[in-house]
Amino acid sequence: MSSNTDFLLALEGVTVSFDGFRAVDGLNLYVDQDELRVIIGPNGAGKTTVLDLICGRTRLSEGSIKFRNQEISGLKENEIVKLGVGRKFQTPSIYEDLNVFENLEISLPRGRNVLGALLWKRSEEITGRVREIAEMVFLDQHLDRRAETLSHGQKQWLEIGMLLIQDPELMMLDEPVAGMSVAERIRTAELLATVARGRAVIVIEHDMKFVESIADRVTVLHQGKVLAEGSMDAIQRDPRVKEVYLGH
């Protein structure tokens, strides 16, 4: 189990039980450095639990989770963030009463200590970085708007921006296009293609058209195990996948 791997993220034999129910069951999952991986599967397949395990929110019962060959399964959530793992949840958690600029600025990694936080000033470098990220997430025209006045899709983009500004090596997004308009979904697909240059991205998604438009590789989970993995074409042709999704 202690073998080194070239993968950015390696889950091996990962199992987690809640009251005797195995939500994730002997899962092996490997993600490359610059890969955009989409995880799909019916409700209760264990998709969100997998993200919870990677980011340290849930403890595994057995197995190993390595990020850049370092075992992270025993670490606290904030320690895992510092290593370069960022996570966005289903509902946007933004600061509603701050404007877009302030939301992005507050998310910048500060000095790692109290002194660094005290010496923090709004330099040109900071302003430039905020504007760069705002443009990436289609909010450069909205920097002065209070976050609560944004549309649902714009709030999702803002939260992706708040993760991006931390420059994680692995970014995990849980149903990023849920509740978005068709136009917003198309722009989000463009955004994720940009985001995935130079980092790995894991997306959990139900919207198959959206998955088709973004995925490098697709992993299908079923009852806490990998049912199938491969290109979207291969996944759509797989009879086992069709069977699991019948009636879904």
Side-chain angles (χ1 to χ4, degrees):
M1 290 293 271
S2 62
S3 59
N4 274 355
T5 155
D6 293 334
F7 295 104
L8 181 70
L9 179 73
L11 280 68
E12 295 187 333
V14 169
T15 298
V16 64
S17 301
F18 301 118
D19 302 324
F21 166 71
R22 288 190 162 205
V24 176
D25 188 5
L27 180 76
N28 295 332
L29 181 73
Y30 303 94
V31 179
D32 279 323
Q33 303 264 343
D34 295 345
E35 182 183 355
L36 205 166
R37 174 73 62 94
V38 182
I39 300 178
I40 64 173
N43 287 334
K47 302 183 296 293
T48 299
T49 307
V50 169
L51 298 197
D52 287 343
L53 288 163
I54 296 166
C55 76
R57 227 184 176 198
T58 299
R59 292 261 174 257
L60 47 73
S61 312
E62 53 193 73
S64 155
I65 301 177
K66 288 203 174 88
F67 179 69
R68 281 199 271 112
N69 276 322
Q70 179 182 346
E71 183 64 44
I72 60 170
S73 61
L75 299 180
K76 297 190 177 79
E77 284 186 69
N78 63 318
E79 294 171 328
I80 293 171
V81 168
K82 278 184 183 165
L83 289 175
V85 177
R87 160 92 181 266
K88 181 193 172 323
F89 294 89
Q90 283 173 344
T91 41
S93 54
I94 56 177
Y95 302 98
E96 297 265 346
D97 50 346
L98 298 181
N99 67 25
V100 168
F101 187 100
E102 291 161 338
N103 266 280
L104 291 169
E105 182 184 41
I106 213 167
S107 306
L108 265 165
R110 310 281 159 111
R112 290 278 177 240
N113 52 32
V114 177
L115 189 64
L118 288 174
L119 296 173
W120 182 257
K121 293 209 170 53
R122 189 177 284 185
S123 65
E124 273 177 44
E125 192 185 347
I126 289 165
T127 304
R129 178 82 177 131
V130 168
R131 288 183 188 284
E132 176 194 348
I133 295 295
E135 191 175 345
M136 263 178 94
V137 297
F138 321 118
L139 294 173
D140 46 321
Q141 303 300 310
H142 304 282
L143 286 170
D144 297 331
R145 272 180 69 181
R146 275 167 72 105
E148 66 184 358
T149 69
L150 299 172
S151 74
H152 172 76
Q154 287 172 324
K155 286 179 180 175
Q156 300 278 31
W157 292 337
L158 176 56
E159 194 177 17
I160 291 172
M162 290 163 73
L163 268 187
L164 268 179
I165 207 160
Q166 298 167 33
D167 205 21
E169 277 184 78
L170 170 65
M171 213 165 144
M172 304 188 291
L173 309 174
D174 202 342
E175 294 191 35
V177 296
M180 280 192 184
S181 68
V182 174
E184 286 173 336
R185 283 169 192 232
I186 291 166
R187 295 193 83 182
T188 304
E190 288 167 25
L191 169 60
L192 293 188
T194 310
V195 165
R197 285 183 211 133
R199 67 170 55 77
V201 182
I202 299 176
V203 179
I204 288 179
E205 194 43 73
H206 283 293
D207 181 324
M208 284 307 157
K209 271 187 88 122
F210 182 73
V211 173
E212 265 176 66
S213 68
I214 63 165
D216 293 334
R217 277 174 80 76
V218 178
T219 298
V220 185
L221 289 190
H222 181 50
Q223 296 176 341
K225 292 184 163 87
V226 174
L227 178 72
E229 199 164 75
S231 69
M232 192 63 191
D233 284 349
I235 291 298
Q236 284 171 320
R237 287 197 305 267
D238 191 312
R240 294 166 306 167
V241 176
K242 286 180 184 158
E243 193 181 327
V244 164
Y245 270 107
L246 276 180
H248 280 275

